[in-house]
Amino acid sequence: MRRWCTPWQGSVTAMTVFFPLDTARIRLQVDESRKSQSTPVILAEIAKEEGISSLYRGWFPVISSLCCSNFVYFYTFNTLKRVMVSDRSKPGKDLLMGFISGAVNVLLTTPMWVVNTRLKLQGAKFRNEDLHQTHYKGIFDAFSQIISSEGVGTLWNGTLPSLVLVFNPAVQFMFYEAMKRRAGRGGRRISSFEIFFIGAIAKAVATSATYPLQTVQAILRFGQFKSDGKGGLVGSLKNVLSLLMDRIKRHGLLGLYKGLEAKLLQTVLTAALMFVVYEKITAATFKLMGLQKKVKL
């Protein structure tokens, strides 16, 4: 249980501290008419136009979704571990269990992410005049309005790119292991700082590689896009491809990467914060163990 609580608490803390960066990221992804500028400029614009509190708009729904996602993922992973792993764990099995856990997590929690995306963007001053304001009173009212006006299926908007994004950790793991092997060549010992640096680079590469899909995911969750009306997997795939091609046609290939700077900042700073927290907890634990030993003596 403690092993689950530590990453859960770390991710919630990191999301809270760097939440404004996520606000900047999603504004640039969804509002294609907003000029792509540096993250501090975007944050300053939002704070000036809508107030400083707007940088934390939608914090509670996002944190709620994050908590549920973490619970579903780790519960599924540990359940699979008990069922699939009889003796020693193998990398292949760990990867497979990770994929299955990620897919279960996506299917069960996507409705929450659709709702929190809309609540996060509610009240935003869009540059794109085609985007209209939503008027939800809260999480449950958002669920109710979406179901009654758009149908239950809308709650699973963005499921296809989300399922593909389950492979994101695999990309990160691949680059991480490759760089770690290179750094440790010849039996060289790798320092904690180097481990953090390698991890940050691997995460940045994985994020950059999958960012266009994250952009489409945000647009689909917000729900204000032109659809061909077809449902199912074929309809979802057509929507994803249509949004990707439309963004490229309007703004070029770089249009798919609007908000990447904010995302990378959030990713690297989150990794740094969690690394520091981990080191502090480890140091405190060993210190406590040392004190306990002295008491026993």
Side-chain angles (χ1 to χ4, degrees), residues 172 175-185 187-203 268 271-272 275 279:
Q172 179 185 345
F175 279 100
Y176 175 79
E177 286 299 320
M179 287 188 289
K180 198 169 75 169
R181 280 195 299 270
R182 190 178 182 84
R185 192 178 292 171
R188 179 177 169 273
R189 188 180 176 186
I190 309 172
S191 68
S192 297
F193 176 76
E194 285 176 308
I195 289 290
F196 161 70
F197 188 68
I198 289 169
I201 292 175
K203 184 66 177 175
V268 174
F275 180 78
E279 288 295 323

Side-chain angles (χ1 to χ4, degrees), residues 68-193:
C68 288
S69 288
N70 279 332
F71 174 77
V72 170
Y73 182 88
F74 285 107
Y75 183 82
T76 305
F77 187 87
N78 285 311
T79 301
L80 289 171
K81 197 172 183 180
R82 284 196 295 271
V83 174
M84 295 174 66
V85 181
S86 53
D87 44 10
R88 259 189 327 183
S89 178
K90 295 180 180 179
K93 279 190 176 180
D94 286 341
L95 205 58
L96 177 61
M97 291 188 294
F99 287 151
I100 295 172
S101 302
V104 170
N105 177 36
V106 166
L107 294 173
L108 292 180
T109 64
T110 289
M112 294 193 71
W113 289 105
V114 168
V115 166
N116 79 49
T117 297
R118 297 192 181 198
L119 289 171
K120 191 174 175 61
L121 290 166
Q122 185 164 271
K125 292 189 176 180
F126 297 117
R127 302 292 191 270
N128 187 350
E129 295 179 356
D130 293 333
L131 299 178
H132 60 265
Q133 290 292 336
T134 55
H135 303 282
Y136 305 127
K137 296 176 183 177
I139 296 174
F140 295 110
D141 183 57
F143 271 110
S144 177
Q145 284 196 44
I146 291 169
I147 291 170
S148 61
S149 62
E150 301 173 53
V152 178
T154 304
L155 292 173
W156 274 270
N157 275 357
T159 299
L160 184 60
S162 298
L163 287 171
V164 177
L165 286 168
V166 169
F167 288 87
N168 184 292
V171 177
Q172 179 185 345
F173 181 75
M174 180 181 69
F175 279 100
Y176 175 79
E177 286 299 320
M179 287 188 289
K180 198 169 75 169
R181 280 195 299 270
R182 190 178 182 84
R185 192 178 292 171
R188 179 177 169 273
R189 188 180 176 186
I190 309 172
S191 68
S192 297
F193 176 76

Side-chain angles (χ1 to χ4, degrees), residues 160-161 164 212-213 216-217 219-220 225-226 228 233-249 256:
L160 184 60
V164 177
L213 273 179
V216 171
Q217 180 192 58
I219 295 169
L220 288 169
F225 63 96
K226 293 179 181 179
D228 59 7
L233 182 62
V234 175
S236 298
L237 184 59
K238 281 188 175 181
N239 285 333
V240 170
L241 293 175
S242 175
L243 286 169
L244 284 170
M245 296 311 295
D246 184 63
R247 183 61 69 95
I248 292 171
K249 186 179 178 181
L256 295 173

